[in-house]
Amino acid sequence: ILLVDDDPSATRLYRTMLVNDGHDVVALDSGVEAVETALRERFDLVITDFNMPGIKGDVTLSLLRARLPELPVVILTSESSATLEKRARDAGAAAFLRKPCSADVLALTVDAAYEFFGDEPVLQRSLGVLREVGLGYIRLGQPATELSGGEAQRIKLGTELQRAQRGATLYV
């Protein structure tokens, strides 16, 4: 997992929680450094803060999505606004989480997260699509290397189905 946050105490906290849960974590403090590192090394997930000096989390997200479209990126922020969340979702965020956030969230299955985030319509939509393609049993923080080929294909399908519809689209 690539963890990006300019706040050293937040980085320490989230890194410790993720490592204690058995994840390998590389922690960085800037979006530019995160993009450069992600292009050189392989990661299963990126968790990035939104407000950072230099490039913000949504720009980091956009740069990563343009170069590594299959890499899930989670935006983690202390800010809470529908506009900010919409920007993150439009840029392709896999999830939008508000600080403080427990590493326990990453251990939830898609089904459990769907119930847990019942009052979050954007998350409900994304998680609902994953449930509809039969992935309710996978963990949110599950490494991509633990997924079967079929599960990976269904994640790609779910990602496509979550995108805003632009006119008439036919899926075969």
Side-chain angles (χ1 to χ4, degrees), residues 42 44 69-72 130 133-135 137-138 142-162:
R42 186 179 181 284
D44 296 320
E70 302 305 317
L71 179 63
L130 290 174
V133 296
L135 293 173
Y137 61 91
I138 66 169
Q142 186 167 338
T145 56
E146 293 180 6
L147 298 173
S148 71
E151 289 167 333
Q153 287 298 318
R154 286 184 283 156
I155 286 176
K156 288 179 187 177
L157 175 62
T159 301
E160 178 62 28
L161 293 174
Q162 289 177 50

Side-chain angles (χ1 to χ4, degrees), residues 16-172:
T16 299
M17 289 190 307
L18 291 165
V19 167
N20 288 344
D21 198 36
H23 298 282
D24 292 325
V25 178
V26 173
L28 302 173
D29 63 3
S30 82
V32 171
E33 191 177 13
V35 172
E36 291 171 353
T37 302
L39 292 172
R40 282 193 320 268
E41 300 177 35
R42 186 179 181 284
F43 294 96
D44 296 320
L45 176 68
V46 175
I47 301 172
T48 182
D49 185 22
F50 183 82
N51 277 323
M52 297 183 290
I55 63 172
K56 302 274 187 221
D58 61 338
V59 175
T60 301
L61 167 65
S62 295
L63 291 171
L64 288 169
R65 298 292 296 158
R67 291 172 177 86
L68 302 164
E70 302 305 317
L71 179 63
V73 180
V74 172
I75 297 287
L76 181 64
T77 184
S78 57
E79 288 187 38
S80 177
S81 80
T83 303
L84 182 63
E85 187 167 349
K86 182 176 180 343
R87 280 177 46 198
R89 291 288 178 188
D90 288 348
F96 182 88
L97 304 174
R98 289 174 187 86
K99 292 180 184 177
C101 175
S102 169
D104 293 339
V105 170
L106 295 176
L108 292 174
T109 64
V110 169
D111 285 335
Y114 184 83
E115 299 302 322
F116 182 79
F117 293 109
D119 60 342
E120 297 282 343
V122 174
L123 283 176
Q124 285 278 293
R125 181 178 172 333
S126 296
L127 293 168
V129 170
L130 290 174
R131 291 176 76 193
E132 289 171 10
V133 296
L135 293 173
Y137 61 91
I138 66 169
R139 292 185 332 270
L140 296 182
Q142 186 167 338
T145 56
E146 293 180 6
L147 298 173
S148 71
E151 289 167 333
Q153 287 298 318
R154 286 184 283 156
I155 286 176
K156 288 179 187 177
L157 175 62
T159 301
E160 178 62 28
L161 293 174
Q162 289 177 50
R163 294 176 194 235
Q165 299 300 317
R166 294 180 182 92
T169 303
L170 174 65
Y171 295 97
V172 180

